[in-house]
Amino acid sequence: MVVPYKPYGQLALLVLCLPPYRIIRGVDIFLQQVANGLTLGSIYALVALGYTLVYGILGLINFAHGEVVMVGALTALAASKFLLAAALPPAVVFVLAFLLAAAVCMALGIVIERIAYRPLRNAPRLAPLITAIGVSIILQQLAMMLWGRSYHAMPQLLPEMAFALGGVQITVIQLVIIGVAGLTMAALLVLVNRTRLGRAMRATAESPSIAALMGVDANRIIVLAFLIGSALAALAGMLVASNYGIAHYNMGFMLGLKAFTAAVLGGIGNLAGAVVGGLLLGVIEALGAGYIGDLTGGVLGSQYQDVFAFFVLIGVLVLRPAGLLGERVAERA
Amino acid sequence: MTALLEARNIGKRFGGVRALQAVSLTIQRGEIYGLIGPNGAGKTTFFNVLTGLYPRDEGEVIFAGSPLPLGEPHRVAQAGIARTFQNIRLFANMSARENVMVGRHARSKVGVAGAVLRSRAQREEEAAISRRADELLAYVGINARAGDLAKNLSYGDQRRLEIARALATEPQLLALDEPAAGMNATETAALRGLIVRLRDDGFTVLLIEHDIKLVMGLCDRIAVLDYGQKIADDVPAAVQRNPKVIEAYLGTTA
């Protein structure tokens, strides 16, 4: 008799080993990694919402979304420098730079939808996926021509202070990221679940043609999904650039892939899932980067951080393809 | 009586198949108009063209005095035509009330900004939409199930919910695609009562139905389609005696 090999036991052992291990080395390091993970995770969640909004309504994976984040970050960076030179107070610059980045990204979102996806609305699913990758490459190249290959320093707009909360150091920018992301996501959930517009979005997601018969203009709803997703991408781009202090033309690629992983982890098409998946992935990565050295006896270092996201992606696709909050596959007209 | 809807020479092809050929018909305001025919005669295709789901190849429809924007379902809904489906097509994962509230979309005004900012106007409109949805659920007799997900309703209740959702768009013409399909005798009798009440309340009804007894007893006028062409258009008694109709349904006696 062949017993299928299921390494659940070993995996569980590995996970269970972590907490006691920590007690030996100190709880505060563990909590510090969780705090860092939540910061990173908030950004993943904002980007993942953009993937999931569009997927929920169109059934399309918008692989150019990561590049919209990059454009948002670089626009915010350029705007910040310009506005700071005009001697505006940093807090005002922060808000204005975000608004400008959001405007640029929203315009970009509309153009992408119009040029790359709408003409292929009824084409086989593979076609818009290929154009999505094409758009992604085009945007990267354009950004490289415009901003060059070098890394740009993001001006610090927020006070570089840190609070000590029970042995954990949290910076102002981290608090802002977690707070702003949390509020934005709460607002989005209210919009989708409690308003007429959200109802129209959910109806279109279930069946575009029937929603149209109820007077819902499907194209408007689709454009709206791109608009909201792009604004969230601009926010994420600005926050991630502020957090690390840098932005460059290639930053959207890895961020986009990880946010996509987060969306899949939570259950793509499910908004709450994108939030849960994003936060979880952020924490997994931070803990992984923090402990990979200890776990491998120093053979692998924290530069292998990125590996964890893709282990998670493979794990989810193998064990639970529908994701944690698994969205049913909608029947389409 | 005045004409509410006038379809002129509607034609629709699927590849080489001519699903509809020069179909013209006129529906008077306030009547129950039946559309019957053997399976595959083109009844549902006609519905799909009329409600904008399929682009038509020829012809036009004048509705309430102006040309209908065929091919644009949301504008057809706004013009005042609502329909139900032969195979029920509800928003399965939304509650019964929410299904009806989506139907109010065509008649709501507050835009994106209002929804985002939750303005006073938006909140008032939302409350009014919710009230109206409950009234419509009560009208079709399923108000007790308002909070249940559509997919959890019984078959007969799902049919009623589809009608309530269609009514929410404030249609002048209500197009019902085989509403009695799969219903037992009691449910069919209740449906019949509902359709008569709709007519008495001022709606014009276009009815596709296989249940000939229901159609004959209910309709003011009946058109018969066969192979995509209209072969009869008359009062029920005359349609019943029409030799072409008998031939289409029973075949020729050689």
Side-chain angles (χ1 to χ4, degrees):
Chain A
M1 201 180 123
V2 183
V3 179
Y5 175 66
K6 291 194 174 163
Y8 301 140
Q10 286 89 322
L11 282 175
L13 201 65
L14 198 70
V15 173
L16 285 176
C17 277
L18 274 176
Y21 196 71
R22 270 316 83 218
I23 293 167
I24 303 165
R25 278 240 348 235
V27 181
D28 39 344
I29 301 177
F30 177 77
L31 290 177
Q32 183 69 57
Q33 294 297 354
V34 171
N36 295 346
L38 288 177
T39 310
L40 192 59
S42 299
I43 289 164
Y44 289 158
L46 283 175
V47 183
L49 281 170
Y51 279 104
T52 235
L53 266 174
V54 168
Y55 183 87
I57 289 170
L58 276 182
L60 161 80
I61 295 166
N62 175 17
F63 271 122
H65 192 58
E67 262 49 65
V68 178
V69 177
M70 173 271 293
V71 170
L74 284 166
T75 307
L77 186 144
S80 300
K81 281 184 174 166
F82 180 78
L83 293 168
L84 279 176
L88 287 169
V92 176
V93 171
F94 190 84
V95 173
L96 286 180
F98 161 66
L99 290 177
L100 208 72
V104 168
C105 287
M106 285 160 94
L108 186 61
I110 293 182
V111 171
I112 293 173
E113 192 272 332
R114 194 65 237 227
I115 294 179
Y117 301 142
R118 193 176 296 189
L120 297 171
R121 193 73 61 73
N122 297 314
R125 285 207 169 185
L126 201 54
L129 198 67
I130 303 288
T131 46
I133 294 168
V135 169
S136 171
I137 293 170
I138 290 171
L139 287 177
Q140 257 189 53
Q141 299 304 310
L142 284 177
M144 193 181 77
M145 287 156 68
L146 204 58
W147 279 289
R149 290 170 162 277
S150 51
Y151 286 62
H152 297 272
M154 176 81 184
Q156 278 302 330
L157 300 171
L158 298 165
E160 286 179 80
M161 279 161 36
F163 301 96
L165 289 173
V168 180
Q169 293 278 316
I170 296 187
T171 62
V172 172
I173 180 70
Q174 283 184 312
L175 284 177
V176 168
I177 288 172
I178 294 171
V180 168
L183 283 177
T184 310
M185 292 184 285
L188 182 65
L189 290 179
V190 168
L191 174 75
V192 168
N193 290 314
R194 294 259 186 281
T195 68
R196 183 180 78 96
L197 209 62
R199 206 158 47 233
M201 291 174 81
R202 283 180 289 139
T204 306
E206 283 213 28
S207 169
S209 58
I210 309 300
L213 285 173
M214 298 300 129
V216 178
D217 183 347
N219 275 332
R220 269 192 69 190
I221 297 296
I222 289 164
V223 167
L224 189 73
F226 274 89
L227 281 177
I228 296 175
S230 301
L232 296 178
L235 182 60
M238 170 138 192
L239 293 176
V240 78
S242 302
N243 192 40
Y244 293 122
I246 49 166
H248 58 108
Y249 81 99
N250 201 18
M251 66 187 279
F253 176 70
M254 191 55 92
L255 185 58
L257 274 182
K258 292 204 186 147
F260 170 69
T261 303
V264 172
L265 172 61
I268 192 153
N270 185 315
L271 295 179
V275 176
V276 171
L279 293 176
L280 204 57
L281 189 70
V283 171
I284 290 171
E285 263 198 30
L287 290 178
Y291 296 127
I292 189 169
D294 295 339
L295 287 174
T296 58
V299 177
L300 301 176
S302 62
Q303 68 271 26
Y304 284 89
Q305 173 180 2
D306 292 343
V307 166
F308 292 97
F310 302 112
F311 272 140
V312 167
L313 181 59
I314 293 166
V316 171
L317 290 177
V318 170
L319 299 173
R320 194 176 160 83
L324 293 175
L325 306 186
E327 178 89 334
R328 79 279 171 274
V329 177
E331 289 168 43
R332 294 196 172 271
Chain B
M1 278 215 258
T2 53
L4 175 63
L5 180 142
E6 205 186 329
R8 294 176 186 159
N9 294 313
I10 299 293
K12 175 73 193 167
R13 284 183 303 273
F14 293 109
V17 181
R18 303 186 70 179
L20 292 174
Q21 292 180 49
V23 175
S24 298
L25 50 82
T26 304
I27 302 175
Q28 305 294 330
R29 215 175 262 280
E31 72 178 351
I32 299 177
Y33 192 97
L35 186 61
I36 64 172
N39 280 327
K43 305 183 295 286
T44 296
T45 301
F46 182 78
F47 257 44
N48 285 340
V49 168
L50 184 66
T51 51
L53 285 184
Y54 293 167
R56 88 286 196 199
D57 294 318
E58 287 133 32
E60 60 171 347
V61 176
I62 305 297
F63 183 76
S66 33
L68 202 61
L70 294 172
E72 291 178 86
H74 68 279
R75 291 186 58 205
V76 169
Q78 282 159 8
I81 298 182
R83 69 172 287 178
T84 64
F85 287 84
Q86 186 178 343
N87 47 340
I88 300 173
R89 303 267 290 273
L90 291 162
F91 303 117
N93 293 302
M94 293 167 77
S95 72
R97 182 186 287 120
E98 279 193 316
N99 265 274
V100 181
M101 287 171 84
V102 173
R104 294 297 298 164
H105 198 95
R107 305 293 164 211
S108 316
K109 293 190 181 57
V110 179
V112 180
V116 173
L117 300 172
R118 294 187 71 70
S119 64
R120 188 189 171 83
Q122 192 264 343
R123 274 178 285 132
E124 277 170 8
E125 183 170 58
E126 190 71 8
I129 290 172
S130 177
R131 267 199 309 278
R132 181 70 186 135
D134 285 344
E135 282 168 23
L136 287 168
L137 289 171
Y139 185 86
V140 300
I142 55 170
N143 43 330
R145 312 291 311 267
D148 296 358
L149 291 187
K151 65 180 173 191
N152 295 335
L153 298 186
S154 72
Y155 185 77
D157 284 353
Q158 290 193 358
R159 286 244 175 251
R160 284 164 183 276
L161 177 56
E162 253 203 332
I163 293 175
R165 185 180 65 178
L167 290 177
T169 66
E170 284 177 25
Q172 298 184 59
L173 178 70
L174 184 62
L176 306 176
D177 193 350
E178 298 205 25
M183 283 189 169
N184 60 33
T186 324
E187 286 173 329
T188 305
L191 175 74
R192 184 195 174 90
L194 178 60
I195 294 174
V196 169
R197 186 148 59 102
L198 285 166
R199 195 248 324 260
D200 294 346
D201 287 344
F203 293 102
T204 306
V205 179
L206 170 59
L207 179 66
I208 290 186
E209 191 47 73
H210 262 310
D211 187 331
I212 295 295
K213 244 196 315 192
L214 181 72
V215 176
M216 290 297 168
L218 205 51
C219 295
D220 299 300
R221 203 172 174 86
I222 294 173
V224 186
L225 288 183
D226 190 28
Y227 293 111
Q229 285 177 304
K230 191 171 82 170
I231 56 169
D233 184 356
D234 215 326
V235 294
V239 166
Q240 232 164 348
R241 286 193 307 269
N242 188 319
K244 275 199 203 157
V245 176
I246 295 168
E247 187 189 314
Y249 269 92
L250 302 177
T252 36
T253 44

